[in-house]
Amino acid sequence: MTSQALDEIKIGGLGSSRKRVEDDRFIRGKGNYTDDVVLPGMLHMEILRSPLPHARIKSIDASKAWEIPGVHLVLTGEMMATRNLAWMPTLSYDTQAVLATDKVRFQGQEVACVIADDPYIAKDACEAIEVDYEPLPPIVNPWQALAPDAPVIRDDKVSQADNVVYNWEVGDKAGTDRAFAQADVISKLELHYPRSHPSPIECCGSVADFNRATSKLTVYMTTQAPHIIRAAVAMVAELPEQMIRIISPDIGGGFGNKVPIYPGYVCSILASILLERPVKWIEDKTGNLISTGFARDIYLKGEMALRRDGKILGVRMHTDADHGAFFSDAQPSKFKIGLMHSAFAAYDVPVAHLTARGLYTNKAPGGVAYRCSFRVTEAMFFQERMVQAAADDLGMDQAEFRRMNFVKDDDFPHRTPFGFLTDSGQYAKCLDVGLAAIGYENFRKEQAEARERGRLLGLGISTMTEPLGAGNSREYDILGIKMFDSADLKVHMTGKAILRTGARGQGQGHETTWAQIVAHELGIPADDVTVEEGDTDTAPFGMGTYASRSTPVAGAAVAMVSRKIRAKARKLAAHLLEVSEEDIEWELGRFYVRSSPGRGVTIQECAMAAYSNMPDGMEPGLENTAYYDPPNLTWPFAVYIVTVEVDPETGVWDVLRMVAVDDCGVRINPMIVEGQIMGGLTEAYAMSSMQFITFDADGNCVGSNYMDYLLPSAWETPGYELHSEVVTPCPHHPIGAKGIGECAAVGGPAAFVNAVIDALTGTGVRNIDMPVLPDRVWEAITYRRDVSGAPPVRQD
Ligand code: MCN
Ligand code: CUM
């Protein structure tokens, strides 16, 4: 008797490059985004934003706005204050103004809201509001924030006498000092990782619908974490949690931008409660670019203690992070600077010390969003730029230096210098695959020959290992809510199923890939499994989608709930086959009798029996829920290698080739994984080459529109060569998968910058800050000096 197991690839199981089911509606323009939601009697809200970065509000006169026909409500900070809603708590234990009362603290800050019959009336009415500002000096970088005579931005906080948000440190200071005392060479580098913006195609928005008759509040909103919002609304607005329903419909890209809680959400909810009508708020592009979740804007002073032969003896890092006017990081770790201390996790560094300082400035709050896993992007960028500089200072080969210092395959579990525990990886193998693909030795020869003819070629290597998954619940929580996730699977009598999770995809393809895990575990074809996420009334409680945590946590829950279903189906099979459960074997899609493999029942037959022919005493139905609390984070690894040619006359640089070797453990859907990598690499290329959103000396946001803040089109985007041959299954994940969603955006930027710096070998240039714009490269080449990108930008 040969096996009757189903062909896993054919049913769309693990490893199948199944087409994305959600694309069916997306490419037909049939997605259902927040702005598509239209409710009877719905009103529209617009926000009046501050034109100034720092100013005292002397008065706000909204009387002219109230007089405009079609205006239903004007909300100001003063009115919010009467309901104790002028300020809201942030996820980082700070407070943030919902609508400004005392001062405005960044350009674009929310000052008032108008709710009207349509958005145009609301916008006109915003312009009719008269605000009398008394300008204060703006602070646009940490050095200004630290100046002894700097104005205190957060004078609303009694205990705040300066602009320091926090001082934090981790590692072994004394041990690190000893390592530096013994070093043959000390390599130093100062860097700025500039502000960047996730800029999803869809901006933020909400439709709040409070029904006085039922007391139910339904909010459609662009959130990556609907259950967290429900909990926050319940706690802050003191509404009963069962009366709050958060629906996160289709999301047109999140990239971290839709993790935080924004004033617009709060105001639309309050307006709906006051007016007893649905209120829609849809942010415009400039509003999105100037006021919502920025990322990065952080400075590094890095030092490496090195032995002459190339061994890293110790690492010292100091970072100054610009958090803007409110510390509103939406990150779940207990660490002030997120997971910055994941730096050097892939290298065998005996001892390290990190100090981190956070500063308030007159900029939109942010710092921790954008395909990042909470500062891991910065950690890996700093690490790989420091590693390149160290190899250069030692006169060592870039690849050799990395290989010699990598954590070895048999060194796992490995305690990193800052205290994480990594569990698996094949770092050197990934590097070898990448070097072979790019033709490393050959390129180095070509580079030397080209240089003799005045052509500047460069090669940049970057590696990254990322702590993905948040939680486990022991170490990660949001305002005390532990980090875990969930899946709920209902198998109907005909063998079709619906799966819901506590995650909320924003384009990552969850509707496709979760069904593949069910197919793998149960043999139910993926096409027979509908996946639904984002409605708190139907989905099991979960922490949402960010930190590439969905596969590590919710994806694991999908496997676990499928196994619970299989365990019950096995009992049903035993009943149907009239044998004892111990005599039953499983192969994909089917239970059979061990001694007589031809006698078997399919999973679908078991499903039917669960509703029509269950054994006496068995609870009917085939449904279950699993909550999953992972034992550790997952640790994917990647090597990215870029080659470039720099034009010495203009500073323009072109990418010749880019090779990516990603090891994210078992791949559920190889095509989706490749899409995630290509998207991340494109964002990395954009950040390193062209994206510029900064502030001038007067605190004006430069780059608040898509004429200035560039998104690469297919024309600018280089081609990528992806390699998937290295697979190190995650030892603790039920299907061996590790996260992938952010890896390429995390590890990519350093590869591009390292390549440009490598092309300038011999000029003495050690750093050009991102974005590596042609004029910066030209300046570096012409004046043989480093080029900093720190604001305020020069006025010349
Ligand atoms: N996957 C897989 N095999 C693996 C790992 C993942 O097939 N070994 C699949 C997953 O099933 C999922 C996708 O790849 O369909 C991404 O999975 P995962 O790495 O778990 O990441 P999340 O689903 O948690 O997505 C979050 C991550 C983050 S934090 C940002 S930011 C980001 C990113 O995803 N935002 C995105 N990628 C994005 N892609 C799109 N299109 N839109 C965004 O907003
Ligand atoms: Cu940090 S951006 Mo993603 O984690 O949503």
Side-chain angles (χ1 to χ4, degrees):
M1 178 68 208
T2 52
S3 159
Q4 295 178 30
L6 296 173
D7 178 333
E8 174 147 6
I9 298 298
K10 278 197 188 140
I11 64 162
L14 226 53
S16 154
S17 283
R18 182 174 184 237
K19 280 195 186 153
R20 292 171 29 120
V21 296
E22 43 271 87
D23 287 352
D24 236 351
R25 60 178 191 280
F26 293 159
I27 59 180
R28 287 169 212 246
K30 298 287 186 196
N32 182 40
Y33 300 93
T34 297
D35 200 14
D36 293 323
V37 174
V38 175
L39 300 176
M42 188 173 79
L43 300 171
H44 298 263
M45 183 180 102
E46 290 288 329
I47 296 175
L48 174 69
R49 298 182 180 281
S50 168
L52 298 174
H54 199 189
R56 203 158 292 288
I57 296 177
K58 287 160 69 182
S59 67
I60 300 180
D61 180 359
S63 53
K64 291 201 180 99
W66 277 104
E67 282 162 20
I68 294 177
V71 169
H72 292 256
L73 181 66
V74 183
L75 286 176
T76 60
E78 205 182 336
M79 284 172 67
M80 300 297 278
T82 63
R83 292 182 163 72
N84 209 11
L85 281 174
W87 294 80
M88 62 180 179
T90 71
L91 298 174
S92 289
Y93 303 93
D94 193 5
T95 48
Q96 173 173 359
V98 178
L99 294 179
T101 46
D102 52 339
K103 285 206 303 193
V104 287
R105 293 177 170 83
F106 68 90
Q107 186 182 58
Q109 188 179 336
E110 299 79 359
V111 175
C113 291
V114 175
I115 295 88
D117 284 332
D118 68 43
Y120 310 101
I121 298 173
K123 197 120 209 158
D124 286 347
C126 280
E127 280 169 22
I129 298 172
E130 287 164 7
V131 188
D132 190 4
Y133 294 108
E134 179 193 322
L136 297 167
I139 292 178
V140 295
N141 66 31
W143 326 128
Q144 287 177 315
L146 287 165
D149 57 346
V152 176
I153 296 173
R154 294 302 301 277
D155 51 357
D156 56 293
K157 298 189 351 180
V158 241
S159 56
Q160 185 78 39
D162 55 23
N163 292 314
V164 177
V165 187
Y166 58 79
N167 274 299
W168 191 75
E169 69 175 304
V170 63
D172 174 358
K173 181 174 188 309
T176 306
D177 290 347
R178 280 195 299 277
F180 274 79
Q182 285 158 13
D184 295 327
V185 175
I186 294 176
S187 173
K188 299 185 182 191
L189 197 61
E190 294 193 11
L191 303 172
H192 177 223
Y193 199 135
R195 283 214 152 199
S196 58
H197 197 282
S199 49
I201 293 177
E202 179 201 34
C203 298
C204 297
S206 50
V207 181
D209 181 17
F210 180 68
N211 184 329
R212 177 71 64 199
T214 59
S215 296
K216 182 114 182 178
L217 172 69
T218 305
V219 191
Y220 301 83
M221 64 194 280
T222 49
T223 177
Q224 298 177 218
H227 283 97
I228 300 298
I229 300 282
R230 184 181 69 185
V233 173
M235 290 173 195
V236 175
E238 293 178 8
L239 292 171
E241 199 173 350
Q242 86 281 13
M243 286 299 174
I244 305 164
R245 179 181 188 185
I246 306 295
I247 301 175
S248 177
D250 286 331
I251 298 189
F255 304 105
N257 191 216
K258 291 162 182 172
V259 183
I261 299 173
Y262 296 118
Y265 298 150
V266 180
C267 293
S268 66
I269 291 173
L270 179 66
S272 178
I273 292 173
L274 293 175
L275 295 168
E276 298 183 24
R277 284 176 69 172
V279 174
K280 177 187 274 187
W281 164 63
I282 299 292
E283 187 181 62
D284 60 21
K285 285 285 176 199
T286 292
N288 182 259
L289 281 168
I290 63 175
S291 74
T292 63
F294 284 86
R296 337 290 188 226
D297 210 343
I298 182 167
Y299 297 78
L300 168 84
K301 279 198 178 78
E303 289 181 276
M304 289 173 76
L306 304 159
R307 210 164 61 196
R308 175 74 51 210
D309 67 357
K311 174 83 188 96
I312 302 173
L313 301 176
V315 170
R316 224 183 246 144
M317 296 170 79
H318 172 77
T319 61
D320 281 294
D322 182 331
H323 284 275
F326 308 104
F327 183 31
S328 68
D329 287 8
Q331 62 101 358
S333 79
K334 57 180 183 283
F335 315 117
K336 290 290 186 195
I337 190 75
L339 303 184
M340 175 63 76
H341 55 309
S342 60
F344 291 93
Y347 293 99
D348 182 19
V349 175
V351 63
H353 186 239
L354 164 74
T355 50
R357 182 165 52 186
L359 283 318
Y360 287 120
T361 61
N362 292 115
K363 297 177 178 177
V368 170
Y370 193 10
R371 243 176 170 173
C372 58
S373 258
F374 318 119
R375 302 282 189 198
V376 177
T377 313
E378 293 96 310
M380 294 304 139
F381 179 76
F382 292 160
Q383 164 194 301
E384 288 302 304
R385 294 282 298 112
M386 284 170 70
V387 163
Q388 164 151 324
D392 284 348
D393 290 346
L394 288 167
M396 269 185 81
D397 176 73
Q398 286 298 326
E400 199 38 51
F401 179 69
R402 286 179 169 83
R403 191 196 324 274
M404 131 170 216
N405 285 292
F406 274 154
V407 175
K408 307 290 179 287
D409 300 0
D410 52 8
D411 278 353
F412 294 104
H414 170 79
R415 185 65 68 181
T416 77
F418 293 119
F420 289 97
L421 195 68
T422 56
D423 52 27
S424 58
Q426 303 176 66
Y427 303 160
K429 187 171 170 194
C430 289
L431 182 63
D432 289 343
V433 169
L435 294 175
I438 204 89
Y440 189 63
E441 300 300 331
N442 258 346
F443 184 85
R444 287 298 187 203
K445 279 193 209 113
E446 239 179 83
Q447 185 181 25
E449 285 160 19
R451 186 167 287 275
E452 282 169 17
R453 297 196 307 277
R455 279 177 63 205
L456 302 180
L457 301 187
L459 181 145
I461 303 176
S462 174
T463 74
M464 72 101 234
T465 184
E466 200 185 356
L468 287 184
N472 50 80
S473 69
R474 295 182 311 286
E475 290 171 336
Y476 298 89
D477 67 70
I478 296 184
L479 298 178
I481 308 168
K482 299 284 187 188
M483 301 295 288
F484 51 80
D485 228 287
S486 60
D488 176 275
L489 180 59
K490 294 181 166 50
V491 182
H492 310 314
M493 64 183 77
T494 53
K496 317 285 175 185
I498 182 157
L499 176 88
R500 296 185 173 96
T501 83
R504 199 336 153 213
Q506 312 119 45
Q508 294 89 346
H510 292 181
E511 289 171 48
T512 308
T513 49
W514 296 163
Q516 295 185 243
I517 300 176
V518 176
H520 169 72
E521 294 289 339
L522 290 175
I524 297 177
D527 286 347
D528 291 350
V529 183
T530 296
V531 176
E532 211 181 78
E533 290 181 336
D535 182 341
T536 58
D537 266 9
T538 55
F541 182 87
M543 305 298 280
T545 288
Y546 40 85
S548 304
R549 64 186 299 278
S550 304
T551 301
V553 197
V558 175
M560 299 316 270
V561 75
S562 301
R563 290 175 192 180
K564 287 187 182 182
I565 296 282
R566 196 167 73 205
K568 182 165 182 187
R570 173 186 291 274
K571 293 188 198 305
L572 288 156
H575 171 66
L576 293 175
L577 294 165
E578 296 177 330
V579 294
S580 86
E581 223 190 304
E582 292 72 57
D583 298 327
I584 296 276
E585 291 287 335
W586 166 256
E587 60 184 4
L588 192 62
R590 177 176 181 267
F591 293 100
Y592 61 87
V593 180
R594 186 176 309 114
S595 56
S596 167
R599 276 188 65 214
V601 285
T602 63
I603 186 79
Q604 288 81 6
E605 287 166 323
C606 295
M608 181 56 82
Y611 297 87
S612 60
N613 179 17
M614 53 283 183
D616 280 350
M618 183 190 271
E619 191 180 339
L622 197 54
E623 308 183 353
N624 221 317
T625 304
Y627 283 84
Y628 190 81
D629 181 4
N632 191 359
L633 298 153
T634 70
W635 295 89
F637 181 75
V639 170
Y640 303 118
I641 306 180
V642 172
T643 55
V644 297
E645 171 149 17
V646 178
D647 178 351
E649 305 289 324
T650 61
V652 169
W653 52 280
D654 288 316
V655 175
L656 304 174
R657 286 178 65 200
M658 172 154 210
V659 166
V661 185
D662 275 274
D663 176 5
C664 60
V666 173
R667 295 184 176 198
I668 304 162
N669 182 321
M671 181 195 67
I672 284 186
V673 167
E674 291 194 346
Q676 287 293 312
I677 295 167
M678 289 186 204
L681 291 176
T682 305
E683 290 177 323
Y685 173 65
M687 280 184 269
S688 58
S689 68
M690 63 178 76
Q691 281 181 341
F692 195 49
I693 187 158
T694 185
F695 293 80
D696 69 14
D698 299 323
N700 295 307
C701 182
V702 180
S704 62
N705 61 72
Y706 289 118
M707 295 293 282
D708 297 324
Y709 191 71
L710 305 179
L711 300 188
S713 67
W715 176 255
E716 290 88 13
T717 302
Y720 309 120
E721 302 163 44
L722 307 185
H723 289 262
S724 57
E725 52 266 59
V726 189
V727 178
T728 316
C730 173
H732 60 75
H733 189 279
I735 57 166
K738 304 181 181 187
I740 187 64
E742 298 159 306
C743 297
V746 168
F752 292 104
V753 180
N754 281 348
V756 176
I757 300 296
D758 185 63
L760 304 193
T761 304
T763 58
V765 172
R766 288 169 70 79
N767 183 47
I768 302 172
D769 276 336
M770 292 194 291
V772 183
L773 299 166
D775 64 310
R776 291 185 181 180
V777 179
W778 180 87
E779 180 183 330
I781 295 173
T782 308
Y783 301 104
R784 297 183 163 247
R785 67 181 179 215
D786 289 3
V787 181
S788 150
V793 289
R794 290 158 311 186
Q795 301 295 300
D796 55 7

